Amino acid sequence: MCGIVGAVSNRNIVPILVQGLQRLEYRGYDSCGVAVHTAGGLHRARSTARVSELQEQVAHDHLEAQTGIAHTRWATHGVPAVHNAHPHFSHGSGAKADTAARVALVHNGIIENHDQLRAALQAKGYVFTSQTDTEVIAHLVDSLYEGDLFEAVKAALPQLHGAYALAVMHKDEPQRVIGARAGSPLILGVGKNGEEHFLASDAMALAGVTHQIVYLEEGDIADLQLGRYWLVDKAHRPLTAAQRPVKTVHAHSGAAELGTYRHYMQKEIFEQPRAIADTLEGIEGIVPELFDGVGEGAASAWRVFKDIDSVLILACGTSYYSGCTAKYWLESIAKIPTQVEVASEYRYRDSVPNPKTLVVTITQSGETADTLAALRHAQSLGMTHTLTVCNVATSAMVRECELAYITRAGVEIGVASTKAFTAQLAGLFLLTLALAQSKGRLSEAEEASHLKAMRHLPAALQAVLALEPQIIAWAEDFARKENALFLGRGMHYPIAMEGALKLKEISYIHAEAYPAGELKHGPLALVTSEMPVVTVAPNDALLEKLKSNLQEVRARGGVLYVLADADSHIASAEGIHVIRMPEHYGALSPLLHVVPLQLLAYHTACARGTDVDKPRNLAKSVTVE
């Protein structure tokens, strides 16, 4: 979601701050800003347009400085407007707006007790100029300031209830920035010869500036100065280099180059053969060791798999649908009872814990707030066997889980997830096979067959991508509609849900997904010629049942758009549009059938002229509840 960049250096860091914001644009935002420390005090520029417009402002104002903070905001408290944009200033108690600013602050997250803090600060004479919870923190830090910004921030943090990543400056302390995190990601970058230091919410923001990264843990506070930095933990104990080591992280800025593609989403859809090949690279056989942990609490997958008797999957959004697909695999192949929970719901309901459950989290970023909180809730209930399928090896989720499988989808810029989803499915299928093997439920012949199918996936995906011209023709019809229905059966029902989600996210067409067998239990009432019905129709055991559902749609004048396998014997006719998939792919069919649905959403959005990569109201990495 929101993005943070901060810097302390002996060179002009304004271009670095702006470039960092540009590299964080993919996370989603509706305003942006930068504040710097100059000889004349604190100065800022803010905009509700793109970062490119902020860059023009900065150039026009000849803004140059050696210390600064910058931010992209995704609105939570207060409408997207300049007065709500970060950085926020505090001018001091009783000060007028034209008084020199004392504190500048940027913030990711949500402060839940901001109303109470606001009332207390107003009683002390602080004047608020925004509707945000963030301005409360700036005034609170100012109220506690007694000549040392680090001590003021340290005193303020215990009063904040909620989630935050902060970067703070004070007018009386040039070349100093304080950072802190709890519930939102924040990293420290070590620059040239250790002389300059940076803060960021994502290593991508510092690509090309530094590869030397320190990952801050929950409750850490960082003090950045010219030529040095130091850290304390949530108990305010000094942290050593061994406790928070500097890691070399190559966040390739080249991943953010469009090349010949129109949008990042299109680029990432077509990168899926490569993403799957990379995710499966080097796998010669199915062994539990593929899932050995890499975090601080790393464990042996072989030992964990022997000890568990069920699986609980926790995820949000697109990752939740990959988990729903995996449930079919885990129960049919590994014969392990599996439950899939929406992470934001699981943590707030009473459940029955089982210490022999493997808790599996699925997240692209590894920083999804609801999923992290759900993991911690499960752990607090005594379910300590944890595994994550994640795309970021250095994320909080990987560090907090016993076991991990790191997908290699690469950086995903488009807000609507595509290649990360199929890479998750590949990782979850491997997990299914590894669990089946550990339980003695996978024969050598079955293992060989599944591995052969997985190695063929990149080529099979290329063949599906070749269907793009036919899907563009469908998209021209969908662009004129305002509603759509998606149907699927069995393990393709989650794929129908993912297809509906993609259409909603980027084209703004209302779309619902249903198990095809539920059609006559409600949604059939909506079917007319103005309600296109997309059906995922692989040639499996449920095909004949699905054909009956298609007839129910046609009998009501509905128009069908069918993704059928080559040998499924569903023919195009009046009101029935059929695209034939290149081949039937058995258990791995969901990875292939989702790709045409991604392309359908993409080309429909293009036809409607929406902002494909940055859909309204959405963000890439959801780091708040």
Side-chain angles (χ1 to χ4, degrees):
M1 296 177 77
C2 306
I4 287 175
V5 191
V8 176
S9 180
N10 52 14
R11 58 172 166 157
N12 177 24
I13 46 79
V14 174
I16 293 173
L17 296 177
V18 174
Q19 183 183 63
L21 294 187
Q22 289 172 328
R23 288 179 175 157
L24 293 177
E25 285 187 288
Y26 77 95
R27 295 166 69 101
Y29 69 106
D30 42 48
S31 63
C32 52
V34 59
V36 296
H37 198 301
T38 69
L42 300 176
H43 297 274
R44 69 182 169 186
R46 299 183 291 177
S47 173
T48 54
R50 292 301 184 201
V51 175
S52 56
E53 198 275 341
L54 178 70
Q55 189 173 29
E56 293 175 5
Q57 274 194 56
V58 166
H60 180 270
D61 295 343
H62 303 291
L63 214 55
E64 294 186 3
Q66 297 177 332
T67 305
I69 55 178
H71 191 264
T72 51
R73 175 180 185 251
W74 188 83
T76 52
H77 296 74
V79 299
V82 170
H83 68 276
N84 287 326
H86 299 214
H88 284 286
F89 279 176
S90 177
H91 298 271
S93 175
K96 295 180 180 179
D98 59 355
T99 306
R102 290 156 53 101
V103 171
L105 180 144
V106 294
H107 164 226
N108 290 355
I110 291 177
I111 304 304
E112 295 170 355
N113 62 330
H114 67 96
D115 283 336
Q116 299 95 307
L117 292 172
R118 181 185 293 259
L121 289 161
Q122 285 175 327
K124 292 181 179 180
Y126 283 91
V127 177
F128 285 77
T129 60
S130 79
Q131 302 161 303
T132 68
D133 55 337
T134 299
E135 191 180 3
V136 167
I137 315 173
H139 291 318
L140 179 62
V141 170
D142 180 82
S143 73
L144 297 168
Y145 185 77
E146 295 180 351
D148 188 325
L149 183 59
F150 183 80
E151 292 299 324
V153 172
K154 193 166 70 172
L157 296 182
Q159 300 185 47
L160 305 179
H161 301 162
Y164 56 79
L166 305 174
V168 195
M169 299 189 302
H170 195 281
K171 74 175 183 66
D172 294 338
E173 300 189 52
Q175 294 185 314
R176 191 181 197 188
V177 173
I178 307 300
R181 69 152 292 187
S184 288
L186 193 66
I187 63 169
L188 186 156
V190 180
K192 295 178 180 178
N193 302 317
E195 294 177 359
E196 58 184 12
H197 298 99
F198 306 91
L199 287 174
S201 49
D202 188 324
M204 175 68 80
L206 304 181
V209 177
T210 180
H211 298 307
Q212 302 302 110
I213 302 297
V214 178
Y215 287 90
L216 304 188
E217 300 288 346
E218 283 292 287
D220 285 359
I221 309 174
D223 189 342
L224 279 64
Q225 298 188 35
L226 190 63
R228 59 178 180 168
Y229 72 88
W230 61 88
L231 304 169
V232 300
D233 65 13
K234 59 186 176 184
H236 302 162
R237 294 172 299 211
L239 292 163
T240 66
Q243 291 170 300
R244 298 292 185 271
V246 177
K247 299 182 179 180
T248 301
V249 177
H250 293 285
H252 298 293
S253 59
E257 296 173 1
L258 265 177
T260 60
Y261 294 98
R262 184 175 173 186
H263 298 95
Y264 288 111
M265 183 177 178
Q266 184 187 30
K267 176 176 181 265
E268 288 152 9
I269 289 171
F270 277 83
E271 284 177 340
Q272 288 177 111
R274 190 274 312 154
I276 297 298
D278 288 353
T279 295
L280 301 177
E281 184 180 7
I283 295 173
E284 299 298 330
I286 302 301
V287 291
E289 286 76 13
L290 291 170
F291 296 87
D292 281 352
V294 295
E296 292 177 4
S300 160
W302 184 86
R303 294 181 184 277
V304 172
F305 289 178
K306 287 292 185 184
D307 192 45
I308 63 103
D309 61 13
S310 63
V311 172
L312 169 63
I313 296 175
L314 303 172
C316 300
T318 286
S319 296
Y320 171 74
Y321 297 143
S322 69
C324 291
T325 306
K327 174 182 171 72
Y328 287 91
W329 292 334
L330 286 161
E331 295 196 338
S332 65
I333 298 173
K335 310 299 182 188
I336 295 178
T338 301
Q339 186 177 357
V340 188
E341 294 265 5
V342 174
S344 57
E345 291 292 316
Y346 169 73
R347 60 186 288 218
Y348 291 118
R349 73 172 186 83
D350 293 331
S351 58
V352 182
N354 172 10
K356 287 187 173 293
T357 293
L358 177 63
V359 179
V360 177
T361 64
I362 311 170
T363 163
Q364 188 279 138
S365 67
E367 304 288 351
T368 307
D370 284 319
T371 310
L372 279 166
L375 168 71
R376 293 162 187 160
H377 176 66
Q379 290 170 326
S380 74
L381 296 176
M383 294 189 286
T384 58
H385 292 320
T386 58
L387 181 152
T388 188
V389 176
C390 182
N391 196 42
V392 181
T394 53
S395 64
M397 190 68 76
V398 172
R399 295 195 299 272
E400 294 188 27
C401 285
E402 274 190 324
L403 309 175
Y405 190 81
I406 309 303
T407 57
R408 299 176 188 169
V411 175
E412 191 174 62
I413 304 295
V415 167
S417 182
T418 53
K419 64 178 181 177
F421 176 73
T422 48
Q424 286 171 353
L425 289 177
L428 289 164
F429 192 75
L430 279 175
L431 174 62
T432 299
L433 299 182
L435 284 169
Q437 187 201 62
S438 71
K439 301 296 183 183
R441 296 163 189 162
L442 185 71
S443 69
E444 288 186 11
E446 289 169 331
E447 177 182 347
S449 175
H450 287 309
L451 283 173
K452 181 180 179 182
M454 294 196 80
R455 291 189 186 106
H456 182 58
L457 271 173
L461 285 166
Q462 288 286 12
V464 175
L465 289 167
L467 299 173
E468 186 179 32
Q470 298 176 59
I471 295 163
I472 291 172
W474 282 15
E476 291 171 358
D477 293 343
F478 274 72
R480 297 188 292 270
K481 308 299 183 183
E482 294 302 326
N483 302 280
L485 187 63
F486 287 69
L487 302 177
R489 276 188 175 270
M491 62 184 174
H492 293 88
Y493 168 47
I495 298 307
M497 290 194 286
E498 172 62 9
L501 176 63
K502 284 293 155 288
L503 193 66
K504 280 183 280 197
E505 284 179 318
I506 62 171
S507 75
Y508 314 145
I509 293 173
H510 169 250
E512 288 189 71
Y514 266 82
E518 285 291 292
L519 182 63
K520 51 187 170 290
H521 295 286
L524 196 57
L526 297 173
V527 173
T528 69
S529 60
E530 290 302 304
M531 170 77 87
V533 179
V534 180
T535 307
V536 182
N539 189 10
D540 57 18
L542 294 172
L543 180 62
E544 293 306 317
K545 296 286 187 184
L546 189 59
K547 286 181 179 179
S548 297
N549 303 138
L550 303 187
Q551 291 305 317
E552 291 167 353
V553 172
R554 284 300 300 130
R556 274 78 181 176
V559 180
L560 286 158
Y561 295 80
V562 183
L563 290 171
D565 282 340
D567 54 354
S568 60
H569 305 295
I570 298 175
S572 295
E574 184 180 354
I576 302 179
H577 306 277
V578 178
I579 291 178
R580 297 200 178 280
M581 300 289 283
E583 56 187 306
H584 177 56
Y585 222 67
L588 289 167
S589 175
L591 279 87
L592 301 189
H593 274 86
V594 75
V595 174
L597 300 182
Q598 296 168 347
L599 287 168
L600 176 62
Y602 171 72
H603 286 292
T604 301
C606 288
R608 288 169 69 95
T610 62
D611 192 342
V612 172
D613 288 328
K614 301 182 182 72
R616 67 189 184 202
N617 305 332
L618 299 180
K620 183 64 181 172
S621 180
V622 185
T623 55
V624 297
E625 284 192 63

